[in-house]
């Protein structure tokens, strides 16, 4: 299959320019498009055969459900039933935006889209191209991240091209995904709402709107063998992972830098290619390997936005060992550390103990 690549300036395009993509989607094809979180791989959410095509293109296990993207908040009523008031409150405050709500599914949503579950994940994205595309196609669009299963999510069209060129009908290149981490997922099907995946909309932001919420204990588990099965099926897989071996160093920052320098020196002496994930504040202190700056410690959003791109750059360099600093575990740092821990396959070293 030849994948058509269409470039769009997200500030300035004519809605008609989305018609070809919309037509592909209506006809049961697959189109990757930008959202504010990461690039999504879109297809008709209500067509069971299309969901199967999405799983096949990504190499994704079919028990890992897809998020359904809508362009109008009212559409939750078409896709879900027994919708609690909280859902409307959250939609009012956070949509369009990086929040996915889990609700009981309507019978129109096929089980292949929900990975066999009686619940459905729904999001109204903020990215204008994404919303216009949904609107123009006139359908609901199932769109998991547009990467091969297990790889870091794509934050640029080039990442999608690397993973899916030749496997899908079209890729819309609309520039960088500005946030860089997947949406926050909140399950509203239980008595107490539960955070299933942290993201840019933090637990505190949600609690300020609907009161206390629980946190899936699997989210920050640091031990994969403790048998805590995450409630979002996708969170159980090794994820976001670079090809090389990634290790997180935590503890006092001075000690972290010292240890990373020692480890990097030793690995390079052994003939390996080494990469270091540094920050604006620390980059000058690293002496060995390919040092890449993910963002600033004073601006966690910059770290979120840069993380997956760096992991993919290390893949391109065929980096064998990647060493990273760790980050605060609150607010946005909660989401950053959740992804980093999974990307590292739970390989965390505390240097100050
Ligand atoms: P992605 O779109 O690639 O970010 O992946 C979607 C994420 O949403 C995966 O982690 C899924 O397991 C999760 N998800 C989708 N639908 C549901 C659902 N009905 N219940 C719980 N988690 C879900
Ligand atoms: Mg994904």
């Amino acid at each position: 299959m030849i994948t058509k690549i269409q470039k769009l300036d997200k500030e300035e395009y004519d809605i008609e320019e989305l018609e070809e993509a919309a037509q592909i989607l209506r006809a049961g094809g697959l189109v990757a498009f930008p959202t504010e979180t990461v690039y999504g791989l879109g297809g008709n959410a209500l067509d069971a055969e299309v969901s199967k095509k999405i799983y096949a293109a990504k190499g994704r296990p079919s028990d890992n459900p897809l998020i359904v993207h809508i362009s109008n908040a009212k559409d939750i009523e078409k896709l879900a039933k027994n919708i609690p008031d909280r859902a409307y409150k959250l939609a009012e405050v956070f949509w369009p935006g990086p929040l996915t709500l889990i609700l009981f599914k309507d019978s129109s949503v096929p089980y292949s889209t929900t990975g066999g579950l009686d619940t459905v994940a729904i999001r109204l994205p903020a990215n204008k191209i994404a919303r216009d595309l949904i609107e123009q196609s006139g359908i609901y669009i199932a769109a998991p991240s547009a990467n091969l299963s297990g790889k870091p999510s794509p934050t640029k069209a080039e990442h999608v091209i690397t993973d899916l060129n030749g496997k899908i009908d079209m890729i819309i290149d609309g520039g960088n995904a500005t946030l860089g981490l997947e949406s926050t997922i909140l399950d509203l099907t239980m008595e107490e709402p539960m955070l299933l995946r942290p993201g840019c909309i933090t637990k505190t932001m949600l609690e300020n709107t609907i009161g206390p919420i629980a946190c899936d204990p699997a989210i920050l588990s640091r031990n994969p063998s403790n048998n805590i099965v995450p409630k979002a099926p996708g969170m159980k897989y090794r994820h976001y992972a670079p090809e090389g071996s990634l290790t997180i160093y935590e503890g006092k920052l001075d000690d972290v830098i010292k240890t990373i320098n020692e480890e990097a020196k030793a690995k390079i002496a052994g003939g390996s290619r080494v990469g270091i994930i540094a920050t604006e504040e620390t980059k000058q202190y690293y002496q060995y390997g390919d040092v890449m700056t993910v963002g600033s410690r004073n601006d966690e959003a910059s770290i979120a936005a840069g993380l997956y791109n760096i992991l993919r750059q290390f893949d391109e360099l065929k980096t064998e060992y990647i060493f990273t600093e760790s980050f605060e575990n609150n607010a946005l740092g909660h989401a950053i550390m959740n992804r980093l821990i999974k990307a590292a396959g739970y390989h965390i070293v505390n240097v100050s103990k």
Side-chain angles (χ1 to χ4, degrees):
M1 174 189 289
I2 291 180
T3 302
K4 175 158 184 175
I5 296 167
Q6 183 184 15
K7 231 179 153 66
L8 281 188
D9 178 345
K10 70 176 164 196
E11 309 300 332
E12 204 181 322
Y13 62 88
D14 194 296
I15 189 99
E16 281 306 309
E17 292 178 70
L18 287 170
E19 182 48 30
E20 186 179 352
Q23 211 150 10
I24 292 171
L25 289 166
R26 282 194 295 271
L30 303 185
V31 176
F33 59 94
T35 84
E36 71 278 20
T37 57
V38 300
Y39 270 73
L41 173 58
N44 186 347
L46 299 190
D47 184 331
E49 293 311 309
V50 172
S51 309
K52 287 180 195 153
K53 282 198 334 201
I54 293 177
Y55 290 113
K58 280 179 62 75
R60 179 169 179 145
S62 62
D63 69 342
N64 186 358
L66 310 175
I67 295 173
V68 182
H69 291 66
I70 58 177
S71 58
N72 184 331
K74 276 230 97 39
D75 288 343
I76 57 174
E77 290 168 6
K78 302 265 172 49
L79 297 164
K81 57 185 188 191
N82 307 333
I83 302 170
D85 283 345
R86 290 174 182 135
Y88 292 98
K89 267 195 211 149
L90 291 163
E92 176 79 31
V93 176
F94 297 108
W95 280 357
L99 175 66
T100 295
L101 300 178
I102 309 287
L103 298 165
F104 290 107
K105 85 174 190 71
D106 183 82
S107 57
S108 60
V109 183
Y111 280 110
S112 61
T113 296
T114 67
L117 299 174
D118 286 313
T119 55
V120 59
I122 308 177
R123 178 163 105 83
L124 199 171
N127 179 289
K128 185 166 179 311
I129 295 176
R131 261 183 302 147
D132 282 347
L133 179 63
I134 302 165
E135 189 77 26
Q136 184 77 4
S137 66
I139 59 176
Y140 306 123
I141 298 184
S145 50
N147 54 295
L148 289 176
S149 197
K151 293 248 257 161
S153 293
T155 55
K156 297 169 182 283
E158 297 90 88
H159 301 159
V160 184
I161 295 169
T162 303
D163 282 14
L164 298 176
N165 198 19
K167 295 185 172 168
I168 61 177
D169 300 282
M170 190 188 242
I171 297 169
I172 298 177
D173 177 353
N176 290 358
T178 44
L179 300 178
L181 292 183
E182 303 84 349
S183 58
T184 304
I185 301 182
L186 184 70
D187 190 341
L188 294 178
T189 64
M190 291 170 288
E191 195 61 40
E192 186 176 33
M194 185 183 274
L195 185 69
L196 304 191
R197 178 170 74 183
C200 293
I201 293 176
T202 64
K203 184 165 184 272
T204 311
M205 289 162 75
L206 296 169
E207 287 184 327
N208 287 342
T209 306
I210 55 165
I213 62 175
C215 210
D216 184 348
I219 287 180
L220 278 180
S221 163
R222 285 162 162 252
N223 178 359
S225 59
N226 61 3
N227 292 326
I228 305 176
V229 178
K231 295 203 168 45
M235 300 286 279
K236 72 173 177 268
Y237 297 104
R238 181 160 187 255
H239 238 225
Y240 322 116
E243 311 266 329
S245 144
L246 172 66
T247 307
I248 304 170
Y249 290 90
E250 64 179 11
K252 267 183 55 207
L253 198 50
D254 287 351
D255 296 340
V256 165
I257 293 166
K258 184 164 167 278
T259 307
I260 290 180
N261 273 325
E262 285 164 5
E263 293 291 325
K265 185 179 180 191
K267 290 289 185 219
I268 289 168
S272 297
R273 180 135 197 173
V274 169
I276 292 170
I277 301 181
T279 50
E280 288 297 343
E281 292 77 11
T282 58
K283 63 181 177 192
Q284 59 187 318
Y285 301 116
Y286 292 106
Q287 296 156 315
Y288 308 97
D290 302 306
V291 180
M292 291 205 208
T293 304
V294 62
S296 165
R297 289 187 165 272
N298 295 323
D299 175 16
E300 284 185 323
S302 68
I303 294 171
L307 183 61
Y308 291 146
N309 186 43
I310 285 207
L311 295 179
R312 282 181 175 261
Q313 277 181 284
F314 283 132
D315 280 354
E316 270 172 34
L317 292 173
K318 307 220 177 309
T319 308
E320 294 159 276
Y321 292 94
I322 307 165
F323 303 126
T324 182
E325 301 168 8
S326 64
F327 301 96
E328 287 288 328
N329 214 340
N330 55 21
L332 188 49
H334 191 207
I336 294 168
M337 284 307 290
N338 169 262
R339 306 307 194 277
L340 208 47
I341 288 170
K342 293 185 128 259
Y346 299 89
H347 195 195
I348 312 166
V349 177
N350 189 314
V351 296
S352 299
K353 268 186 189 159

